[in-house]
Structures are given as C-alpha cells and as structure tokens.
Amino acid sequence: MKKTKILIATAVLSIATFVAIAADHIDAPAVQGGTSDITDFYAFRGEETSNLVLVANVQGLLTPSATSSATFDENVLLEFNIDTDDDNVEDLVIQATPRDGKMYFFGPTAPAQTGLNSTIVSTSSNAAVVDITSYGASAIVEEFGGMKFFAGPRDDPFFFDFNTYTEIIAGNASGFNNPGDDTFAGTNVLSVVVEVPKSMIGGSGTIKTWVESKRKQ
C-alpha cells in the first residue's frame, strides 16, 4: 500500500445530479495560469446510459503552440469526489495522478480522509493506468474493471461570448446574439476523463460531485 500526502491547491468546482457542468476558466488568483487551475468540470450519463462520465479540464487558454509542450504536473493530484448520501461529504473518490507520460487512477473507493487533505491509497484492486495522449494524436482510451480512462489535450469545449457579456454588464447590450462569438475558440485544455458504471457508485439515484486539484506538501 502506497500513501502520499497532498494538499488542496485550487478552487473546488461542484455540481449535483447526473447531467451538469461547472466552470471558472482561470479566475482563481491563487492558481491563475498555473498547472493546477481547473477550468471546467462535467458530469453526465455516458453513451452507455448505465455509466457516469466525469471530466476535469485544467490549464485553460492553451494556444496550439503551447499545447504541444503542455504537460500534466506530476506534483498535482486531481480528485473526483462523490457524495451519495447528501451530507456534502465525499463518500467515494476517484483520484488521478501523472507520472512519466502515464496517468494513474485509483478508485472509486472510500477516501482515507475527507476534506482538504488527501492521501493516495494504491492497491491492485482499484488501480488503472492510461498513456497520456499526445497533442494531435488519436485518443488513447483504456478499460480496467469496467471503467474507461483518458488523459490528454483536447479542444476547450466551453462556449462563452465574453465580449458580449462585458457589453451587457456595462449596459451597452440587452442580451446575447444567436449565434454568439466563442471566446475560447482555438484554445485547448488538458483533460482527464473517467467513465464509471453507476453500479460502482451506488446512492439513491441523485449524487453530488465535485473535483479538486491538490498539490503535494
């Protein structure tokens, strides 16, 4: 059993139920522009409707040239937290941490401790690994124990017309255009994706889920 102590290093993004998104896109001053900054968190039913897909995106606003050299920080852990009994405390976690061009996953499993500090508890029964996909390469997806895993650069999927939003706030526009302008067009993120059977999560049918990035102490 291997345990590594880590400490939360960015704002938490949280959502409820099986279909939702949350985003901040580099607005947390303590981590702005850093390797632990979470841009988006998505949770939705998979193409196989008995599965749940969790997506965490980090390091937003990457240009194509910057994307080719961008890497996951080996000192940063991404942790998907799942609350199945509506007490706002994680009952299960799925952890992802990079090492030497691979992303290692642990869970879903009960956390060794809850809250802002975490430990990685690695056993052969809850561990998985996938090669991190290179920029421009075909996506590498691995399956372990009924789950699917991906890690690598992707086009930023979040759509927001920031210029029009600024005009609305300033009182110079009454609403958004249809279609609007995609402020994030042409930029990329680093994505970590987990598809997990709902049967491995349990709960009453409604869950709360959030993602954290945590840095080694």
Side-chain angles (χ1 to χ4, degrees):
M1 182 178 293
K2 177 183 178 182
K3 295 186 177 181
T4 304
K5 190 69 175 290
I6 49 186
L7 179 69
I8 188 169
T10 192
V12 177
L13 290 183
S14 62
I15 56 183
T17 74
F18 280 128
V19 183
I21 62 172
D24 72 350
H25 268 86
I26 310 184
D27 64 3
V31 294
Q32 185 170 354
T35 56
S36 62
D37 188 30
I38 304 168
T39 67
D40 301 288
F41 176 39
Y42 301 86
F44 52 90
R45 290 184 179 91
E47 183 178 5
E48 170 55 60
T49 57
S50 61
N51 291 349
L52 172 67
V53 179
L54 302 171
V55 181
N57 292 336
V58 297
Q59 300 185 42
L61 303 181
L62 293 171
T63 64
S65 59
T67 306
S68 62
S69 60
T71 59
F72 290 99
D73 190 334
E74 294 191 357
N75 291 313
V76 172
L77 171 79
L78 284 175
E79 184 173 84
F80 298 96
N81 298 272
I82 301 168
D83 170 22
T84 61
D85 57 11
D86 200 30
D87 64 354
N88 299 318
V89 177
E90 61 268 33
D91 300 294
L92 297 170
V93 295
I94 300 174
Q95 300 171 324
T97 185
R99 185 72 62 202
D100 297 330
K102 300 178 183 294
M103 187 68 71
Y104 292 85
F105 294 86
F106 308 99
T109 187
Q113 61 191 103
T114 61
L116 298 184
N117 292 335
S118 292
T119 57
I120 299 175
V121 181
S122 168
T123 67
S124 59
S125 63
N126 74 346
V129 61
V130 62
D131 288 335
I132 296 172
T133 298
S134 300
Y135 181 48
S138 298
I140 300 171
V141 178
E142 296 288 354
E143 297 188 34
F144 293 89
M147 299 173 65
K148 297 180 181 180
F149 304 90
F150 167 84
R154 297 285 94 179
D155 179 74
D156 192 333
F158 191 77
F159 184 99
F160 185 62
D161 189 340
F162 184 77
N163 291 332
T164 301
Y165 169 78
T166 302
E167 290 298 303
I168 293 171
I169 295 299
N172 298 324
S174 59
F176 289 97
N177 299 319
N178 185 15
D181 295 322
D182 184 5
T183 300
F184 303 112
T187 65
N188 301 310
V189 293
L190 297 185
S191 295
V192 174
V193 184
V194 179
E195 183 171 343
V196 56
K198 296 176 188 176
S199 60
M200 297 177 68
I201 294 174
S204 61
T206 298
I207 65 168
K208 293 179 179 177
T209 180
W210 61 98
V211 68
E212 300 169 327
S213 63
K214 300 185 176 185
R215 185 172 295 276
K216 284 183 182 179
Q217 287 182 318

